[in-house]
């Protein structure tokens, strides 16, 4: 099984960015523990602050040289703005799970709408950084069905 985690803009700053909201752990450290916990799963990781690069990576995971079984996506602020990422998720024949570290629904109103949710196969919101593990477990179960 090969799963791709994609983090969008500003998520390269995890551990340093607004720690009261996003925690103090870097994603790289967290990813290490996740890979140790799931040694049989290949977990690819891609972070970008650029919308088009995220779209290209989704295409590669779905059709290209870097084919994966599923995607775990935290599109960051693009969640609330990007019809293009919505279309990319819809275009590929593999499931995407949407993740948000914070509970976006208890925050500013502009975070309440997601362009990703209508095309996501599952959504994990508000469990902190551990939401990626919850998403992975759900995605693996979904793929085993
Ligand atoms: C986020 C929530 C978004 O609203 C925000 O723009 C982010 C992170 C989260 O993981 O809680 O960058 O996706």
């Amino acid at each position: 099984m090969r799963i791709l985690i994609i983090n969008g803009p500003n998520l390269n700053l995890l551990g340093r960015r607004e720690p009261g909201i996003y925690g103090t752990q870097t994603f790289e450290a967290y990813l290490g523990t996740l890979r140790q916990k799931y040694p049989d799963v290949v977990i690819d990781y891609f972070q970008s602050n650029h919308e088009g690069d995220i779209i290209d990576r989704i295409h590669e995971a779905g059709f290209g040289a870097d084919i994966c079984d599923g995607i775990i996506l935290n599109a960051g602020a693009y969640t609330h703005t990007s019809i293009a990422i919505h279309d990319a998720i819809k275009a590929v024949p593999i499931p995407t799970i949407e993740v948000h570290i914070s509970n976006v629904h208890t925050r500013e109103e502009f975070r309440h709408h997601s362009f990703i949710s209508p095309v996501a196969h599952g959504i994990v919101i508000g469990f902190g950084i551990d939401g990626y593990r919850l998403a992975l477990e759900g995605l693996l179960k979904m793929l085993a069905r």
Side-chain angles (χ1 to χ4, degrees):
M1 205 58 80
R2 185 167 186 170
I3 303 300
L4 170 64
I5 298 177
I6 301 178
N7 272 341
N10 300 305
L11 292 164
N12 54 310
L13 297 180
L14 281 180
R16 288 185 287 163
R17 169 194 185 197
E18 299 181 86
I21 296 176
Y22 298 112
T24 52
Q25 200 171 17
T26 66
F27 197 77
E28 288 68 22
Y30 176 74
L31 187 59
T33 59
L34 202 59
R35 284 183 172 141
Q36 264 174 12
K37 200 171 156 65
Y38 295 93
D40 299 334
V41 182
V42 177
I43 305 175
D44 291 340
Y45 178 56
F46 180 73
Q47 190 281 326
S48 177
N49 296 322
H50 307 280
E51 189 174 14
D53 290 344
I54 293 170
I55 292 164
D56 287 345
R57 195 65 189 84
I58 292 169
H59 293 176
E60 278 167 28
F63 294 113
D66 268 320
I67 289 236
C68 290
D69 297 290
I71 297 173
I72 294 170
L73 171 66
N74 184 347
Y78 287 140
T79 303
H80 317 299
T81 63
S82 181
I83 297 170
I85 294 178
H86 166 112
D87 284 348
I89 293 166
K90 212 170 164 183
V92 294
I94 55 173
T96 293
I97 308 296
E98 175 181 4
V99 170
H100 298 289
I101 295 168
S102 64
N103 181 352
V104 285
H105 296 289
T106 60
R107 300 181 63 194
E108 302 95 325
E109 203 168 331
F110 61 80
R111 296 184 204 278
H112 295 182
H113 179 262
S114 167
F115 281 103
I116 310 302
S117 298
V119 287
H121 287 69
I123 304 171
V124 179
I125 293 178
F127 287 92
I129 201 167
D130 206 35
Y132 294 88
R133 176 187 62 82
L134 296 170
L136 179 63
E137 286 177 9
L139 181 55
L140 292 174
K141 277 190 191 146
M142 192 179 274
L143 290 167
R145 270 188 223 137

